[in-house]
Structures are given as structure tokens and as C-alpha cells.
Amino acid sequence: MLRLALVFLLVFTGSAHALPLNAACRVPGVHDPDVIRAVHAVGVSTRVSDKVMLAGFEAGWVESHMNNLDCGDADSLGVFQQRPSMGWGTPEQIMDVSYAARRFFELAVKMDRPDLTPGLLADAVQRSCCPERYDAAVDRASFMLRQAWQGGPEVVAGVVHVVEDGDVWADGTRLSTSHDFVGRPSVAGRFVYARTARGEVRVLADGVWQPVASGVAGDPEAVLRPDGTVALYAVLADGSVLGSGAPGHAVGKPSAVVRPDGSIALYARSGAALVLHEAGAWREVATGLDSSPEAVLRPDGTVGLYTLIGGRPHRLGNGWEPLGDSRFIDTVSAEPDGTVYARKADGKVVKVG
């Protein structure tokens, strides 16, 4: 089992605004699914209360619409618009969503009182100009929290795997009863992998769920090697990728394919960049991401790459090419023949395009 040592630093408060007032700082109208999962994973791993978790999501929505902004008022940055000049950390640290979330939650736990609503607790941490706006965001924050707990689809050979209500399902059949799974599952041969709310990856083998890794902040990716063994990857709490080292500040779910020669090509999201790990090194292959990538090996041996951008499915060709105008949540799943699946806000999984 992988164990991670987390270094906790002294928190200093600094003022924050309800969305950046800087007109040059573009704030997306929708949240980043990888950001809400990363913030949620930190809150779960540090065992914050439901109230503190909700305060974090209210603050994230008010400050950035839950996006990891590289701009803001004065020197404000990141999902919580924290300021390096006010002691929150270096710009690089603040732009690490897991680091920023840990700093927020550490201070929120210290400042919590019974008389504070989640929104007022968020304001106590953020010291914003507009304290009333945090509680006004409770519906949006609660919606994002529900999404952080659920995930999918993972479609393999036409079988749709999702996480709903804390359990893993495959074409309507419940594969678990523990009620503690989150995010998108991964399938490799006869094995099903999924992440728990406490940052543990478990595998379903011979009808039994067994732990295989801990300290993860993103959904697992498992691929079957030619010799029948499984390669397992996941983004860890420090932004590195289990099994491959760190491409920078990785977030979300990596995606891997096994090439015809048995080598593995591993793709991950680092900020807005799509990065590839092969032959022992990382390199950037595209930009413009705002959710996790999906890689699939085509019958001709080439790799197809897909993602959601602004909630719309895209395929990488000469740049990112939209597959339609419909909007979805979470990530896309693709099969070797090019069929793409995505999940609507109501939980329904449909074919795209």
C-alpha cells in the first residue's frame, strides 16, 4: 500500500472577492469536473465535516466557478483566489488544486463555530467583499458535491460501468454494496477498479473487493498487459501519477493504451495541457483541456484521443474537433471503433455524435 506524507504549513488569511473583478480574467460559466473531484478528495482524505466540505464548495464556486484560474484581482490565483502576497503559498503551490484545497480546509476547520453557516464559514476563511454570496451558492455547491461523488461512464465491450449512490454498477447490475465509491471506475479484462471516498483504489476480483492502492486523488486507470497482468495508474494527492512519476500538476483521471508491441502510452491532464508518458519520459501533445483525457487504441494501431471541453465531447485531430453541440458531465468513454459515450446531467449515458 502506498503511503504519502503530507506536509502542512501555517495558514495566513488574505482578502478574496466574489469572482475576480479583473475584467481581463476570464471565468468559465461552468465548473471544472477535475477541480471539484480534487477539492472533494482533499476534504475526504482530511476527514472534514459535511459543513466544512460544503463551505469549500461554496467558496470555490463564488471565487472561480470551481476552476483553477491563472489570474484574478491583484495577485489572486487558483480555485480559491488565494494570494501569494498574503502568505497562502507560492504561485506554483496555489495553482496546485490539492495544495490550495488543503490550505482552505485547514483554516476552515480551525475557524468553524456552531453559529456559522457554511457560507459564513467560507467568508471567515476568504475574508471577501461579499459574505452573503457564499450561502447564496448553496444549491450550486450541493449540485457539484453530488457530481464529485458520482462518475462515469466506463464503457467496455458495450457494457456501461458507472458509480451511482456510492456503488459501482455495470449495465444496471450493482457490483458493490459498500456505498463509499466515487468517480469513474476502470475495467481491465475481468477486473473492475474503483476509488473510494477515502482515496483508496479497490479491485473486484472473483466477487470480492480488495484494496490495491491508497493516497489517490483521482480516478484509477487500469490496462491489461499482453502477459495478463494489470498496469494501474492514478493521480496521487501530490499531483504525481502512481506508476510513472510526475508530469507536473496532474489532475483527474489518466488514460492508457497498450500498443501492439506491448508498450504502454499513458496520457494525463496537467493544467490545460495533455501530456504523454512513454519511453520513461513525459511530453506535451496538446493544450486546451478542461477535463480528463480518454485514449483508445484503434484497430489500425493508432491512438484516438477524446475529452470534454466546455461540456462538449471533442476528438483530437488537427486541434480539438467537437463531436456535437450536446453538453455532458464527467468524462467521455470511447471504444476502438470510435464509438463515444458520455453522461448527461440526469445520469443517463448516451452515445455521442
Side-chain angles (χ1 to χ4, degrees):
M1 300 284 284
L2 177 66
R3 297 187 182 275
L4 299 176
L6 300 180
V7 178
F8 293 92
L9 304 175
L10 180 64
V11 176
F12 295 88
T13 60
S15 63
H17 293 285
L19 291 184
L21 300 177
N22 180 357
C25 186
R26 187 186 70 85
V27 181
V30 296
H31 67 264
D32 182 330
D34 287 337
V35 168
I36 66 170
R37 287 187 176 182
V39 172
H40 182 257
V42 172
V44 168
S45 67
T46 54
R47 293 175 167 80
V48 302
S49 67
D50 291 345
K51 174 183 173 181
V52 170
M53 181 75 85
L54 184 58
F57 272 67
E58 289 184 6
W61 177 256
V62 169
E63 302 295 348
S64 68
H65 284 178
M66 271 296 200
N67 289 272
N68 196 27
L69 302 179
D70 61 359
C71 56
D73 296 319
D75 59 341
S76 299
L77 293 169
V79 61
F80 297 106
Q81 290 289 279
Q82 295 159 335
R83 297 182 62 182
S85 63
M86 301 300 291
W88 284 98
T90 67
E92 292 76 17
Q93 288 173 323
I94 292 172
M95 288 301 294
D96 180 334
V97 176
S98 295
Y99 173 93
R102 284 196 298 273
R103 297 297 298 274
F104 178 92
F105 286 131
E106 287 168 11
L107 189 55
V109 168
K110 292 178 182 178
M111 301 190 73
D112 190 20
R113 303 192 312 266
D115 62 306
L116 293 179
T117 65
L120 291 178
L121 176 57
D123 179 65
V125 175
Q126 299 296 99
R127 295 178 60 188
S128 82
C129 67
C130 313
E132 71 284 352
R133 295 187 65 174
Y134 297 109
D135 274 328
V138 63
D139 288 343
R140 174 67 68 165
S142 298
F143 172 74
M144 293 187 297
L145 265 172
R146 289 194 297 272
Q147 286 195 17
W149 277 97
Q150 301 184 2
E154 169 84 345
V155 183
V156 178
V159 178
V160 179
H161 298 77
V162 295
V163 169
E164 292 182 357
D165 300 322
D167 282 309
V168 183
W169 297 74
D171 273 356
T173 298
R174 188 192 295 264
L175 302 183
S176 68
T177 57
S178 60
H179 306 298
D180 62 353
F181 287 105
V182 296
R184 173 178 168 179
S186 183
V187 178
R190 63 186 182 88
F191 302 106
V192 180
Y193 293 79
R195 175 171 62 99
T196 72
R198 300 298 175 188
E200 181 181 72
V201 176
R202 297 178 186 169
V203 58
L204 177 63
D206 300 322
V208 178
W209 287 96
Q210 302 174 8
V212 292
S214 62
V216 303
D219 299 335
E221 169 73 346
V223 290
L224 195 65
R225 298 187 182 99
D227 63 3
T229 60
V230 174
L232 177 65
Y233 305 97
V235 174
L236 303 175
D238 64 356
S240 64
V241 180
L242 173 67
S244 65
H249 299 306
V251 293
K253 177 186 180 297
S255 187
V257 296
V258 181
R259 296 188 185 277
D261 63 2
S263 64
I264 295 177
L266 176 66
Y267 296 84
R269 177 188 172 196
S270 181
L274 173 65
V275 291
L276 166 64
H277 182 270
E278 59 181 353
W282 288 96
R283 63 182 177 89
E284 183 177 304
V285 296
T287 59
L289 289 185
D290 61 19
S291 63
S292 298
E294 168 79 346
V296 62
L297 190 67
R298 302 186 182 108
D300 63 2
T302 61
V303 176
L305 293 166
Y306 305 85
T307 192
L308 287 178
I309 298 176
R312 298 167 60 197
H314 284 66
R315 174 179 54 220
L316 186 61
N318 295 322
W320 290 108
E321 303 166 351
L323 299 179
D325 292 327
S326 297
R327 295 187 180 272
F328 300 88
I329 60 174
D330 211 333
T331 60
V332 295
S333 181
E335 296 201 280
D337 65 359
T339 303
V340 178
Y341 298 82
R343 184 164 62 98
K344 303 286 287 185
D346 62 4
K348 185 178 181 181
V349 175
V350 299
K351 291 183 180 180
V352 176

